Short mmCIF file of all heavy atoms in Angstrom, two decimals:
data_model
loop_
_atom_site.label_atom_id
_atom_site.label_comp_id
_atom_site.label_asym_id
_atom_site.label_seq_id
_atom_site.Cartn_x
_atom_site.Cartn_y
_atom_site.Cartn_z
N ILE A 1068 -42.27 40.50 -205.66
CA ILE A 1068 -42.56 41.94 -205.42
C ILE A 1068 -44.12 41.98 -205.06
O ILE A 1068 -44.43 42.85 -204.24
CB ILE A 1068 -42.16 42.77 -206.62
CG1 ILE A 1068 -40.66 42.80 -206.80
CG2 ILE A 1068 -42.70 44.20 -206.50
CD1 ILE A 1068 -39.92 43.46 -205.70
N GLU A 1069 -44.92 41.18 -205.78
CA GLU A 1069 -46.31 41.26 -205.57
C GLU A 1069 -46.62 41.04 -204.12
O GLU A 1069 -47.45 41.75 -203.50
CB GLU A 1069 -47.09 40.24 -206.37
CG GLU A 1069 -47.12 40.55 -207.92
CD GLU A 1069 -45.91 40.08 -208.65
OE1 GLU A 1069 -44.83 39.78 -208.09
OE2 GLU A 1069 -45.95 40.07 -209.98
N MET A 1072 -45.64 44.03 -201.88
CA MET A 1072 -46.53 45.15 -202.06
C MET A 1072 -47.92 44.85 -201.27
O MET A 1072 -48.46 45.65 -200.72
CB MET A 1072 -46.86 45.44 -203.55
CG MET A 1072 -45.55 45.78 -204.36
SD MET A 1072 -44.94 47.41 -203.95
CE MET A 1072 -45.64 48.44 -205.10
N TYR A 1093 -44.77 51.84 -200.02
CA TYR A 1093 -45.58 51.33 -201.18
C TYR A 1093 -45.47 52.37 -202.30
O TYR A 1093 -45.24 52.06 -203.48
CB TYR A 1093 -47.01 51.15 -200.73
CG TYR A 1093 -47.91 50.58 -201.87
CD1 TYR A 1093 -48.10 49.25 -201.99
CD2 TYR A 1093 -48.54 51.38 -202.72
CE1 TYR A 1093 -48.85 48.71 -203.00
CE2 TYR A 1093 -49.34 50.92 -203.78
CZ TYR A 1093 -49.53 49.53 -203.85
OH TYR A 1093 -50.35 49.06 -204.91
N MET A 1096 -42.01 52.52 -203.93
CA MET A 1096 -41.76 51.37 -204.83
C MET A 1096 -42.57 51.54 -206.17
O MET A 1096 -42.15 51.02 -207.20
CB MET A 1096 -42.12 50.04 -204.15
CG MET A 1096 -40.94 49.72 -203.13
SD MET A 1096 -41.34 48.25 -202.21
CE MET A 1096 -41.16 46.91 -203.41
N ASN A 1097 -43.73 52.16 -206.00
CA ASN A 1097 -44.45 52.42 -207.19
C ASN A 1097 -43.87 53.37 -208.20
O ASN A 1097 -44.23 53.36 -209.39
CB ASN A 1097 -45.86 53.00 -206.82
CG ASN A 1097 -46.93 51.84 -207.02
OD1 ASN A 1097 -46.71 50.92 -207.76
ND2 ASN A 1097 -48.01 52.06 -206.34
N GLN A 1098 -42.89 54.14 -207.81
CA GLN A 1098 -42.15 55.08 -208.79
C GLN A 1098 -41.07 54.34 -209.38
O GLN A 1098 -40.54 54.89 -210.44
CB GLN A 1098 -41.55 56.23 -207.92
CG GLN A 1098 -42.56 57.18 -207.31
CD GLN A 1098 -41.87 58.20 -206.43
OE1 GLN A 1098 -40.64 58.29 -206.42
NE2 GLN A 1098 -42.71 58.86 -205.57
N MET A 1099 -40.64 53.18 -208.96
CA MET A 1099 -39.41 52.61 -209.51
C MET A 1099 -39.80 51.79 -210.75
O MET A 1099 -40.97 51.45 -211.03
CB MET A 1099 -38.92 51.57 -208.46
CG MET A 1099 -38.55 52.19 -207.06
SD MET A 1099 -37.54 53.67 -207.26
CE MET A 1099 -37.41 54.13 -205.57
N SER A 1100 -38.73 51.50 -211.55
CA SER A 1100 -38.97 50.52 -212.71
C SER A 1100 -39.46 49.24 -212.19
O SER A 1100 -38.74 48.53 -211.44
CB SER A 1100 -37.66 50.46 -213.44
OG SER A 1100 -37.52 49.25 -214.20
N PRO A 1101 -40.59 48.85 -212.64
CA PRO A 1101 -41.13 47.47 -212.25
C PRO A 1101 -40.15 46.38 -212.58
O PRO A 1101 -39.97 45.45 -211.74
CB PRO A 1101 -42.38 47.33 -213.03
CG PRO A 1101 -42.84 48.72 -213.27
CD PRO A 1101 -41.56 49.50 -213.51
N SER A 1102 -39.50 46.37 -213.72
CA SER A 1102 -38.58 45.21 -214.04
C SER A 1102 -37.37 45.35 -213.19
O SER A 1102 -36.80 44.35 -212.75
CB SER A 1102 -38.24 45.31 -215.50
OG SER A 1102 -37.64 46.51 -215.93
N SER A 1103 -36.95 46.59 -212.78
CA SER A 1103 -35.79 46.71 -211.91
C SER A 1103 -36.04 46.12 -210.53
O SER A 1103 -35.22 45.47 -209.93
CB SER A 1103 -35.44 48.17 -211.69
OG SER A 1103 -34.63 48.68 -212.75
N LEU A 1104 -37.35 46.42 -210.04
CA LEU A 1104 -37.69 45.76 -208.70
C LEU A 1104 -37.59 44.27 -208.69
O LEU A 1104 -37.04 43.68 -207.79
CB LEU A 1104 -39.14 46.25 -208.37
CG LEU A 1104 -39.30 47.74 -208.02
CD1 LEU A 1104 -40.81 48.02 -207.81
CD2 LEU A 1104 -38.45 48.08 -206.75
N LYS A 1105 -38.20 43.71 -209.74
CA LYS A 1105 -38.21 42.14 -209.81
C LYS A 1105 -36.80 41.62 -209.98
O LYS A 1105 -36.39 40.65 -209.35
CB LYS A 1105 -39.12 41.66 -210.87
CG LYS A 1105 -40.54 41.90 -210.51
CD LYS A 1105 -41.45 41.04 -211.38
CE LYS A 1105 -42.93 41.11 -210.85
NZ LYS A 1105 -43.89 40.33 -211.55
N ASP A 1138 -35.61 50.45 -219.97
CA ASP A 1138 -35.83 51.18 -218.77
C ASP A 1138 -34.51 51.83 -218.22
O ASP A 1138 -34.67 52.98 -217.63
CB ASP A 1138 -36.41 50.19 -217.56
CG ASP A 1138 -37.85 50.07 -217.68
OD1 ASP A 1138 -38.46 50.56 -218.68
OD2 ASP A 1138 -38.44 49.60 -216.75
N ALA A 1154 -40.49 59.00 -215.72
CA ALA A 1154 -40.07 57.92 -216.55
C ALA A 1154 -41.16 57.07 -216.99
O ALA A 1154 -42.08 56.76 -216.21
CB ALA A 1154 -39.06 56.99 -215.91
N ALA A 1155 -41.22 56.73 -218.35
CA ALA A 1155 -42.25 55.93 -218.90
C ALA A 1155 -41.66 54.48 -218.93
O ALA A 1155 -41.02 54.13 -219.84
CB ALA A 1155 -42.65 56.35 -220.28
N TRP A 1156 -41.94 53.69 -217.82
CA TRP A 1156 -41.38 52.39 -217.82
C TRP A 1156 -42.07 51.37 -218.72
O TRP A 1156 -43.27 51.53 -219.00
CB TRP A 1156 -41.50 51.79 -216.24
CG TRP A 1156 -40.93 52.69 -215.28
CD1 TRP A 1156 -41.64 53.24 -214.16
CD2 TRP A 1156 -39.65 53.13 -215.02
NE1 TRP A 1156 -40.81 53.91 -213.35
CE2 TRP A 1156 -39.54 53.90 -213.83
CE3 TRP A 1156 -38.43 52.90 -215.76
CZ2 TRP A 1156 -38.32 54.52 -213.40
CZ3 TRP A 1156 -37.33 53.50 -215.33
CH2 TRP A 1156 -37.20 54.32 -214.15
N ASP A 1157 -41.34 50.42 -219.19
CA ASP A 1157 -41.87 49.37 -220.04
C ASP A 1157 -41.25 48.01 -219.67
O ASP A 1157 -39.99 47.92 -219.78
CB ASP A 1157 -41.48 49.73 -221.50
CG ASP A 1157 -42.06 48.72 -222.41
OD1 ASP A 1157 -42.96 47.94 -222.11
OD2 ASP A 1157 -41.52 48.57 -223.57
N PRO A 1158 -41.98 47.02 -219.15
CA PRO A 1158 -43.43 47.16 -218.87
C PRO A 1158 -43.75 48.10 -217.77
O PRO A 1158 -42.91 48.47 -216.96
CB PRO A 1158 -43.70 45.70 -218.25
CG PRO A 1158 -42.58 44.90 -218.69
CD PRO A 1158 -41.36 45.81 -218.81
N GLU A 1159 -44.99 48.60 -217.77
CA GLU A 1159 -45.36 49.79 -217.02
C GLU A 1159 -45.76 49.46 -215.58
O GLU A 1159 -45.82 50.43 -214.72
CB GLU A 1159 -46.40 50.64 -217.65
CG GLU A 1159 -47.71 49.94 -217.82
CD GLU A 1159 -48.80 50.78 -218.56
OE1 GLU A 1159 -48.53 52.04 -218.64
OE2 GLU A 1159 -49.74 50.24 -218.96
N ASN A 1160 -46.11 48.23 -215.31
CA ASN A 1160 -46.41 47.86 -213.87
C ASN A 1160 -45.87 46.48 -213.55
O ASN A 1160 -45.48 45.68 -214.38
CB ASN A 1160 -47.92 48.08 -213.59
CG ASN A 1160 -48.79 47.11 -214.46
OD1 ASN A 1160 -48.33 45.98 -214.62
ND2 ASN A 1160 -49.82 47.62 -215.08
N ILE A 1161 -45.96 46.18 -212.27
CA ILE A 1161 -45.35 44.94 -211.69
C ILE A 1161 -45.95 43.75 -212.39
O ILE A 1161 -45.23 42.85 -212.83
CB ILE A 1161 -45.69 44.81 -210.16
CG1 ILE A 1161 -45.10 46.06 -209.32
CG2 ILE A 1161 -45.16 43.52 -209.59
CD1 ILE A 1161 -43.68 46.12 -209.31
N ASN A 1162 -47.31 43.74 -212.55
CA ASN A 1162 -47.95 42.59 -213.11
C ASN A 1162 -47.55 42.19 -214.58
O ASN A 1162 -47.66 41.08 -215.01
CB ASN A 1162 -49.50 42.68 -213.01
CG ASN A 1162 -49.90 42.90 -211.54
OD1 ASN A 1162 -49.24 42.43 -210.66
ND2 ASN A 1162 -51.03 43.73 -211.34
N ALA A 1163 -47.10 43.28 -215.20
CA ALA A 1163 -46.79 43.10 -216.65
C ALA A 1163 -45.42 42.58 -216.83
O ALA A 1163 -44.93 42.27 -217.89
CB ALA A 1163 -46.88 44.42 -217.35
N VAL A 1164 -44.58 42.47 -215.72
CA VAL A 1164 -43.20 41.94 -215.81
C VAL A 1164 -43.33 40.39 -215.66
O VAL A 1164 -43.63 39.89 -214.54
CB VAL A 1164 -42.29 42.50 -214.77
CG1 VAL A 1164 -40.87 41.97 -214.90
CG2 VAL A 1164 -42.26 43.98 -214.84
N ASP A 1165 -43.04 39.68 -216.73
CA ASP A 1165 -43.09 38.19 -216.70
C ASP A 1165 -41.81 37.64 -216.03
O ASP A 1165 -40.72 37.85 -216.57
CB ASP A 1165 -43.28 37.63 -218.11
CG ASP A 1165 -43.41 36.07 -218.09
OD1 ASP A 1165 -42.72 35.47 -217.32
OD2 ASP A 1165 -44.10 35.58 -219.04
N ILE A 1166 -41.98 37.02 -214.76
CA ILE A 1166 -40.81 36.67 -214.08
C ILE A 1166 -40.06 35.51 -214.73
O ILE A 1166 -38.80 35.48 -214.65
CB ILE A 1166 -41.22 36.21 -212.59
CG1 ILE A 1166 -40.08 36.21 -211.69
CG2 ILE A 1166 -42.03 34.94 -212.52
CD1 ILE A 1166 -39.50 37.56 -211.26
N LEU A 1169 -37.98 37.13 -217.25
CA LEU A 1169 -36.89 37.89 -216.55
C LEU A 1169 -35.78 36.99 -216.23
O LEU A 1169 -34.57 37.23 -216.39
CB LEU A 1169 -37.49 38.65 -215.41
CG LEU A 1169 -36.47 39.56 -214.63
CD1 LEU A 1169 -36.92 41.00 -214.82
CD2 LEU A 1169 -36.49 39.30 -213.16
#
Side-chain angles (χ1 to χ4, degrees):
I1068 295 294
E1069 289 84 347
M1072 299 295 264
Y1093 183 93
M1096 285 176 68
N1097 254 340
Q1098 294 174 10
M1099 307 306 180
S1100 155
S1102 58
S1103 280
L1104 288 175
K1105 288 201 173 179
D1138 275 11
W1156 305 122
D1157 181 20
E1159 64 181 343
N1160 60 46
I1161 302 290
N1162 300 330
V1164 181
D1165 183 327
I1166 196 74
L1169 187 108

